[in-house]
Amino acid sequence: MGISCNFYLFMIKVEMQMKISHELSKLIEDRQKENEKYEIYQHVFKFHESDSEFFYYIVYKYYQEGRGHIVLSSSRKLIPKNEAVEIAYYFLTHNGTVTAALGPMSEVRKRKVETVQKIQLKLLEGKDLILTNKHLADSYHMINNTLELQIGNTRKVNDIYNQIKELDLHIQRKTHVLTKEAWQKGRNLLHEYNVTMYEELKTLLKSWESAEKIIDYLKRLNLSFLGKYKARNVIKQLQIMFNDQAKEKVNKSLEDFEKDFQGNFFTNQRGELSTEQYIQITNQMMQEEYKRNLLRECRNP
């Protein structure tokens, strides 16, 4: 999947234990197994900001490996397992949103818009040469649109990253409360990122043949010295983006998007799903996987 990790990879390291009552400490310790330690998330969960009830999330660890968890209510103490699983889901999927920003989004943010703009400029300078073959008009526009898409997406992902970072800093350093509204905002941003990148990867893959057609045609043209110089510049810039190594990377990224949590493909061919189909499938898989694992590891009664 686009954003996938082992179940407990989403844990954010807690630097200090949250202060809780002796009664709650006793409930935590009663469910602690031999040689385990526990960590209490430094933020709590509320369904609404105005709620008086809030929830603690505690994970039991054997060395660094998560072995189980419980959820405690500030007012009801040890809540039923099914309810605990629902609330734990908010904690861990928010951490998944933050993990995505620190990982895959950070990689996209490293892309230099100027590099793509230079490729686009050279393509424009070579437009007259390319369109001496009228059959390459669609290919030219396909490549130009793909470059425009990547420029826009790089800026868009930077904005998504900054919004997620600001959201999480507000929770971790100011309120210490994750609300359902804040959780939903983070998930919406992650959804936007996944849609953006899945569409871009599919577009890139579809545009490869167009780039290869243009490169092949320019190589075969019988041109003057200045014409050859212009053609070489177009070819050189296109090959920065459309080369064998880059194509392998695009295919690998699509493979990552189209694998389930067990590493199995849920498509027969890369990029075959519409964005709506992709989101529907991955959302369903994510919910089922998280809740299955949470239910298995939950130590609430």
Side-chain angles (χ1 to χ4, degrees), residues 283-298:
N283 281 350
Q284 183 179 346
M285 283 194 307
M286 184 193 67
Q287 288 184 26
E288 290 175 353
E289 181 73 12
Y290 266 91
K291 291 184 178 179
R292 181 167 51 247
N293 285 325
L294 285 166
L295 188 61
R296 184 180 64 245
E297 302 293 342
C298 185

Side-chain angles (χ1 to χ4, degrees), residues 116-131 140-141 143-144 147-148 214 218 230 233-235 237-238:
V116 184
Q117 288 174 327
K118 185 176 179 181
I119 297 171
Q120 191 176 36
L121 177 62
K122 293 302 178 184
L123 184 71
L124 179 62
E125 289 175 357
K127 182 178 180 179
D128 57 334
L129 293 178
I130 296 166
L131 296 186
Y140 173 85
H141 293 300
I143 297 302
N144 191 55
L147 296 171
E148 282 286 351
I214 291 172
L218 292 177
K230 185 190 289 187
N233 277 335
V234 176
I235 292 168
Q237 291 301 316
L238 284 178

Side-chain angles (χ1 to χ4, degrees), residues 255-297:
E255 286 177 2
D256 290 341
F257 268 85
E258 296 179 357
K259 283 181 180 178
D260 60 23
F261 282 88
Q262 287 72 44
N264 302 314
F265 289 113
F266 53 84
T267 56
N268 295 318
Q269 186 176 344
R270 304 293 74 78
E272 70 180 18
L273 297 176
S274 68
T275 304
E276 292 75 19
Q277 289 172 322
Y278 173 78
I279 294 300
Q280 183 179 0
I281 290 170
T282 53
N283 281 350
Q284 183 179 346
M285 283 194 307
M286 184 193 67
Q287 288 184 26
E288 290 175 353
E289 181 73 12
Y290 266 91
K291 291 184 178 179
R292 181 167 51 247
N293 285 325
L294 285 166
L295 188 61
R296 184 180 64 245
E297 302 293 342

Side-chain angles (χ1 to χ4, degrees), residues 203-216:
T203 301
L204 269 171
L205 201 59
K206 289 176 183 176
S207 65
W208 226 272
E209 185 178 353
S210 294
E212 289 172 345
K213 283 180 180 178
I214 291 172
I215 291 169
D216 180 65

Side-chain angles (χ1 to χ4, degrees), residues 170-195:
H170 183 74
I171 293 166
Q172 302 299 334
R173 296 185 181 179
K174 189 173 182 181
T175 66
H176 301 290
V177 176
L178 170 66
T179 61
K180 189 174 180 180
E181 181 183 11
W183 171 85
Q184 189 63 65
K185 181 179 179 181
R187 298 311 287 180
N188 288 346
L189 288 166
L190 181 58
H191 170 89
E192 188 177 357
Y193 166 79
N194 279 333
V195 168

Side-chain angles (χ1 to χ4, degrees), residues 51-162:
D51 289 351
S52 58
E53 183 180 33
F54 54 87
F55 301 91
Y56 300 98
Y57 182 74
I58 300 95
V59 61
Y60 295 99
K61 303 179 84 173
Y62 180 75
Y63 293 97
Q64 293 303 310
E65 181 186 356
R67 288 290 183 87
H69 63 91
I70 61 169
V71 174
L72 299 176
S73 161
S74 60
S75 57
R76 293 179 290 138
K77 315 310 178 192
L78 201 58
I79 60 177
K81 179 177 286 190
N82 285 341
E83 187 180 357
V85 166
E86 290 294 327
I87 292 166
Y89 179 77
Y90 290 116
F91 278 101
L92 288 194
T93 48
H94 174 71
N95 285 356
T97 299
V98 176
T99 299
L102 296 174
M105 286 187 209
S106 292
E107 287 301 309
V108 177
R109 292 177 67 242
K110 292 177 185 176
R111 300 192 311 204
K112 293 187 181 298
V113 168
E114 295 78 13
T115 301
V116 184
Q117 288 174 327
K118 185 176 179 181
I119 297 171
Q120 191 176 36
L121 177 62
K122 293 302 178 184
L123 184 71
L124 179 62
E125 289 175 357
K127 182 178 180 179
D128 57 334
L129 293 178
I130 296 166
L131 296 186
T132 54
N133 182 345
K134 63 181 181 180
H135 298 297
L136 288 179
D138 287 345
S139 294
Y140 173 85
H141 293 300
M142 177 74 172
I143 297 302
N144 191 55
N145 291 340
T146 299
L147 296 171
E148 282 286 351
L149 179 69
Q150 194 166 74
I151 291 168
N153 284 353
T154 302
R155 291 170 174 153
K156 185 176 183 179
V157 170
N158 267 285
D159 181 58
I160 292 171
Y161 169 87
N162 288 328

